[in-house]
Amino acid sequence: MVEAVVWGVVAALSLVIGAVLGVARSWRDGLVGGVLAFGAGALISSVAFELAQEGLQKGGPVPVAVGLALGAVTFFVADRAVERIGGRSGGGASGLPLALGALLDGIPEQAVLGIGLAAGEGVSVALLVAIFVSNLPEGIGSASDMRAGGKSRRQIVLIWVAVAVVCALATLGGYALADVAGGSLKAGIDGFAAGALLVMLVDSMVPEARRKAGRRAGLVTVLGFAVAAGLSNLT
């Protein structure tokens, strides 16, 4: 169990590092857009190779499809709630959709990590690096947008610390659930994370990357996908 806590903290720490980098200095729009595009590519790779593919192997298409639908609807509804409190119209809540996406993706993703640890599968270094590759751009992009929207550095860092703590605790929860989690539940968890990520990517991350980085966003997205896909397939 101690191992699950340690690796959960290590995996979630990248979110806080990204947020600190985002508030430590002013980032040009083109650079933020490039970072977001790279992260989007890494997340697309995560959906394809770490979530959907593994979910299909563990439980088949039905649990993955149910998880996809639940994850997509959950993010959509939660994102609309963020929008109502000012997420995309000022009010100091800019960047919250990315934080929400990190939370809805991180909880099931790290729960799966905890389940794997409890099953004696160990931790893939490649997977941890891939998590960092995708989490850092989310933290940087979201923190930069929140800063531009008027939130203080302290508020931004606290938001991301809270997201990281919840994600780290999900690793412990997954470890505790390992005894009762069958292949279908694991596949559904993978699908949920994939569904939440896909809606966040299409609605928030990719459009923001395209707006800030321009035509280069597509090329950088492919680069992010290639790097993350390579890391995912090292094991």
Side-chain angles (χ1 to χ4, degrees):
M1 186 172 291
V2 173
E3 185 182 11
V5 173
V6 170
W7 285 116
V9 170
V10 170
L13 188 60
S14 56
L15 295 169
V16 180
I17 293 173
V20 170
L21 289 174
V23 300
R25 50 161 291 180
S26 296
W27 294 69
R28 292 184 293 104
D29 277 357
L31 186 56
V32 173
V35 169
L36 287 172
F38 187 90
L43 289 172
I44 293 170
S45 172
S46 178
V47 168
F49 298 114
E50 298 293 345
L51 298 172
Q53 179 176 311
E54 291 189 8
L56 289 171
Q57 291 173 349
K58 292 172 183 174
V62 174
V64 173
V66 172
L68 278 166
L70 290 175
V73 171
T74 299
F75 181 86
F76 181 84
V77 172
D79 193 32
R80 297 290 80 77
V82 169
E83 191 173 354
R84 283 196 294 271
I85 65 172
R88 294 199 178 90
S89 58
S94 301
L96 282 179
L98 290 179
L100 177 65
L103 182 65
L104 293 179
D105 161 55
I107 290 174
E109 185 176 69
Q110 294 201 202
V112 170
L113 177 64
I115 291 171
L117 285 168
E121 298 173 3
V123 175
S124 166
V125 174
L127 175 58
L128 285 176
V129 175
I131 290 173
F132 265 75
V133 166
S134 61
N135 282 350
L136 283 174
E138 283 184 284
I140 292 172
S142 174
S144 298
D145 283 351
M146 288 182 190
R147 185 66 176 151
K151 280 195 176 296
S152 69
R153 288 183 172 88
R154 181 174 179 273
Q155 288 176 309
I156 295 168
V157 172
L158 285 177
I159 287 172
W160 279 97
V161 167
V163 171
V165 167
V166 173
C167 290
L169 289 175
T171 306
L172 187 60
Y175 188 94
L177 284 171
D179 289 339
V180 297
S184 294
L185 177 57
K186 294 174 185 177
I189 292 172
D190 282 333
F192 183 95
L197 268 179
L198 286 171
V199 178
M200 184 275 287
L201 282 165
V202 174
D203 283 358
S204 300
M205 201 166 183
V206 171
E208 189 72 2
R210 181 67 170 82
R211 183 178 70 83
K212 291 184 174 180
R215 296 180 63 86
R216 294 171 296 176
L219 291 175
V220 181
T221 299
V222 174
L223 176 61
F225 180 92
V227 171
L231 291 171
S232 297
N233 287 283
L234 286 178
T235 56

